[in-house]
């Protein structure tokens, strides 16, 4: 069987999952033919890994030459893992050149990006897959199944609280994400994951968004109340991590990008506390909150229906406890780690169903594989074997799913700016 020919744009941190899949478990159906990054040092790092696995170096190309490379190398699919503000340009260029696209969430960061990608999809007829790996987490699939089976009746409201801890949450304020022009802020970059989950769970589309929030913990204006002596728990020594050192310390001379900026320094334009109200076409309403400086990490979801209530609680890290060198795992959602036993807030996942006039019961959750709640391995399997649909769960996320998810964040940013609710879908004449 012939293998599909893949190209990749962006070889930073997020690229590793796809590269490992292409030179590992899915190398029988897919081959990495060409790749590009604005920093050649990062390409060098992954090239060593590719060669060590017994594969030839992919062809290197300038990011601006993506369309020409798609045609010259006869690429079937492009994987885009570049900074969010570049997604629209790369996705549309690949589509119009004749390749399908796999794009890391978020699909794009603003209305103009949505218009650009939509026009390319319609003109090319090619396919876009947005990689919402949290759909594949067994706990999230279990909640989807419970709702779809009618266990709580018609959904009337959702409350969704997401807590990012002071290690993982702070990391968005160290990197390029800290500038809203690059990432669209956490409502777009991070919350598009969460908005997609709700859209998928309740099988409906958002129609109106109102948001409130601000930068209340990180940033230069909040530094004075947090003056500390001794070791700074918010400082990140990326040189201590061999992989991050190779990707970002050893390569800084190529592009001047510093991965470990001060979270209380200048230049931060994104929010760290956010609250959103969303109305859905089905008549349901969601209240959503995101906090990026919590002492623990995880999320709580409550789904109310006409026949009962479902509650999902997930603790991904009970507390941020630094080791003797002042270090901790950056992202417990992507890299699960065992911590000390915590009897008050144990690391756990629990789905509870309670129908009207009945006692509550716990719903079993299947075991997952790997990061993001056990969803990454299942996502990659569907991605590289080109699964079009996995009914009844419907976890494969296409262009329309990416649009619905990111539109909530884009509308939320407009609401933050104007203080007014924003209707969806967006008016194409505005």
């Amino acid at each position: 069987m012939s293998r599909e020919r893949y190209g990749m744009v962006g070889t930073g941190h997020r690229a590793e999952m796809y590269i490992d899949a292409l030179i590992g478990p899915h190398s029988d159906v897919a081959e990495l033919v060409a790749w590009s990054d604005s920093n050649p040092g990062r390409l060098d790092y992954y090239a060593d890994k590719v060669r060590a696995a017994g594969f030839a170096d992919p062809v290197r190309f300038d990011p601006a030459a993506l369309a020409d490379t798609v045609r010259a190398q006869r690429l079937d699919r492009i994987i885009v893992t570049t900074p969010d503000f570049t997604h629209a340009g790369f996705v549309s260029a690949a589509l119009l050149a004749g390749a399908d696209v796999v794009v890391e969430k978020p699909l794009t960061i603003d209305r103009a990006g949505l218009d650009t990608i939509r026009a390319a999809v319609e003109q090319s007829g090619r396919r876009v897959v947005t990689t919402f790996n949290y759909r594949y987490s067994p706990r999230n699939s279990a909640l989807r199944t419970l709702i779809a089976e009618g266990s709580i009746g018609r959904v009337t409201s959702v409350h969704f609280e997401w807590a990012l801890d002071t290690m993982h949450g702070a990391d968005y304020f160290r990197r390029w994400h800290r500038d809203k022009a690059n990432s669209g802020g956490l409502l777009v970059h991070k919350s598009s994951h969460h908005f997609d989950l709700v859209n998928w769970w309740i099988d409906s589309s958002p129609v109106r968004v109102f948001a409130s929030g601000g930068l209340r913990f990180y940033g230069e204006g909040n530094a004075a109340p947090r003056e500390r002596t001794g070791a700074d728990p918010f400082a990140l020594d990326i040189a201590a991590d061999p992989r991050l050192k190779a990707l970002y310390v050893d390569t800084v001379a190529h592009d001047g990008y510093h991965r470990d900026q001060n979270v209380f320094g200048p230049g931060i334009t994104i929010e760290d506390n956010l609250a959103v109200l969303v109305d859905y076409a089905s008549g349901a309403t969601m209240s959503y909150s995101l906090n990026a400086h919590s002492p623990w990490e995880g999320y709580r979801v409550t789904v109310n229906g006409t026949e009962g209530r479902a509650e999902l609680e997930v603790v991904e890290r009970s507390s941020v406890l630094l080791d003797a060198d002042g270090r901790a795992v950056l992202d417990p959602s992507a890299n699960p780690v065992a911590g000390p036993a915590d009897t008050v807030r144990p690391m756990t996942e629990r789905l509870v169903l309670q129908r009207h006039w009945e006692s509550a019961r716990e719903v079993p959750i299947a075991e997952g594989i790997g990061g993001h709640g056990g969803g990454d391995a299942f996502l990659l399997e569907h991605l590289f074997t080109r699964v079009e649909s996995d009914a009844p769960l419907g976890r494969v996320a296409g262009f329309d799913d990416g649009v619905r998810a990111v539109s909530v964040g884009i509308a939320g940013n407009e609401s933050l700016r104007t203080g007014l609710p924003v209707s969806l879908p967006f008016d194409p004449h505005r």
Side-chain angles (χ1 to χ4, degrees):
M1 182 175 65
S2 63
R3 295 185 294 168
E4 284 200 294
R5 298 171 63 83
Y6 276 76
M8 174 172 282
V9 186
T11 54
H13 171 74
R14 287 300 300 160
E16 184 172 57
M17 178 176 78
Y18 302 100
I19 293 171
D20 284 349
L22 285 161
I23 63 176
H26 301 290
S27 61
D28 59 329
V29 295
E31 61 178 323
L32 183 56
V33 175
W35 57 8
S36 179
D37 195 286
S38 58
N39 189 313
R42 289 194 278 272
L43 288 169
D44 292 341
Y45 169 79
Y46 283 117
D48 289 342
K49 181 175 248 194
V50 169
R51 285 193 293 270
F55 294 88
D57 282 12
V59 173
R60 298 190 183 194
F61 64 93
D62 188 296
L66 173 59
D68 291 338
T69 304
V70 168
R71 290 185 285 262
Q73 297 296 329
R74 298 174 288 105
L75 301 179
D76 299 299
R77 231 176 183 187
I78 297 295
I79 299 173
V80 177
T81 64
T82 54
D84 304 345
F85 75 97
T86 67
H87 285 185
F90 288 130
V91 170
S92 59
L95 293 171
L96 294 173
D100 292 335
V101 175
V102 174
V103 59
E104 273 284 302
K105 63 83 193 159
L107 179 63
T108 184
I109 66 168
D110 53 27
R111 291 195 193 194
L114 288 177
D115 291 341
T116 297
I117 297 174
R118 181 179 286 108
V121 168
E122 292 173 353
Q123 181 177 336
S124 68
R126 307 302 301 188
R127 186 162 179 257
V128 176
V129 172
T130 311
T131 53
F132 289 119
N133 40 14
Y134 260 113
R135 286 190 178 199
Y136 288 83
S137 167
R139 62 200 180 212
N140 295 329
S141 294
L143 179 55
R144 157 84 169 183
T145 299
L146 188 144
I147 295 170
E149 290 176 345
S151 298
I152 61 171
R154 176 176 53 83
V155 173
T156 59
S157 64
V158 179
H159 176 68
F160 196 165
E161 175 192 7
W162 200 285
L164 291 167
D165 65 34
T166 47
M167 178 58 70
H168 185 197
D171 209 40
Y172 296 103
F173 298 82
R174 298 185 182 103
R175 299 181 281 165
W176 54 263
H177 310 69
R178 71 204 319 249
D179 184 348
K180 188 174 277 195
N182 291 336
S183 65
L186 291 181
L187 275 186
V188 169
H189 176 81
K190 184 64 178 176
S191 300
S192 61
H193 252 326
H194 315 152
F195 300 144
D196 173 70
L197 281 176
V198 177
N199 298 344
W200 175 64
W201 278 329
I202 71 173
D203 192 23
S204 189
S205 297
V207 295
R208 191 173 69 156
V209 177
F210 177 79
S212 179
L215 182 63
R216 298 166 182 163
F217 185 86
Y218 302 108
E220 188 175 26
N222 298 310
R226 310 215 131 61
E227 289 179 356
R228 295 169 298 276
T229 58
D232 182 358
F234 289 96
L236 178 65
D237 181 12
I238 60 174
D241 183 315
R243 178 171 169 272
L244 291 180
K245 179 178 182 295
L247 286 173
Y248 299 108
V249 177
D250 299 344
T251 64
V252 70
H254 293 294
D255 58 11
Y257 173 59
H258 291 277
R259 166 70 176 73
D260 55 345
Q261 298 176 73
N262 181 4
V263 300
F264 297 109
I268 296 176
T269 59
I270 65 173
E271 300 80 15
D272 52 26
N273 281 257
L274 290 155
V276 183
L277 287 175
V278 183
D279 293 333
Y280 287 85
S282 64
T285 299
M286 174 179 67
S287 57
Y288 168 85
S289 67
L290 175 71
N291 180 283
H293 55 89
S294 169
W296 67 279
E297 178 139 335
Y299 58 102
R300 295 187 178 111
V301 183
T302 300
V303 186
N304 296 299
T306 55
E307 297 179 26
R309 176 183 176 107
E311 299 170 355
L312 174 63
E313 180 168 12
V314 177
V315 177
E316 293 180 325
R317 178 155 52 192
S318 302
S319 53
V320 180
L321 301 178
L322 305 179
D323 64 18
D325 297 316
R327 302 181 189 125
V329 168
L330 274 177
D331 181 357
S333 62
N335 301 287
V337 290
D342 190 322
T343 57
V344 176
R345 196 189 305 281
M347 291 198 301
T348 187
E349 54 185 17
R350 188 167 184 248
L351 177 59
V352 173
L353 167 67
Q354 185 164 12
R355 290 174 53 80
H356 292 160
W357 329 117
E358 296 179 8
S359 299
R361 67 177 179 88
E362 188 167 349
V363 178
I365 298 173
E367 288 291 325
I369 306 170
H372 292 101
D376 284 350
F378 296 127
L379 166 70
L380 292 168
E381 176 69 25
H382 276 189
L383 188 68
F384 289 107
T385 57
R386 289 275 195 166
V387 171
E388 298 290 329
S389 174
D390 64 331
L393 282 174
R395 291 172 296 184
V396 180
F399 172 67
D400 289 339
D401 298 298
V403 169
R404 278 189 289 269
V406 79
S407 289
V408 179
I410 294 171
N413 280 333
E414 290 192 24
S415 182
L416 287 172
R417 186 175 64 253
T418 65
L420 300 171
V422 177
S423 295
L424 297 171
F426 293 123
D427 181 352
H429 303 294
R430 283 188 57 189

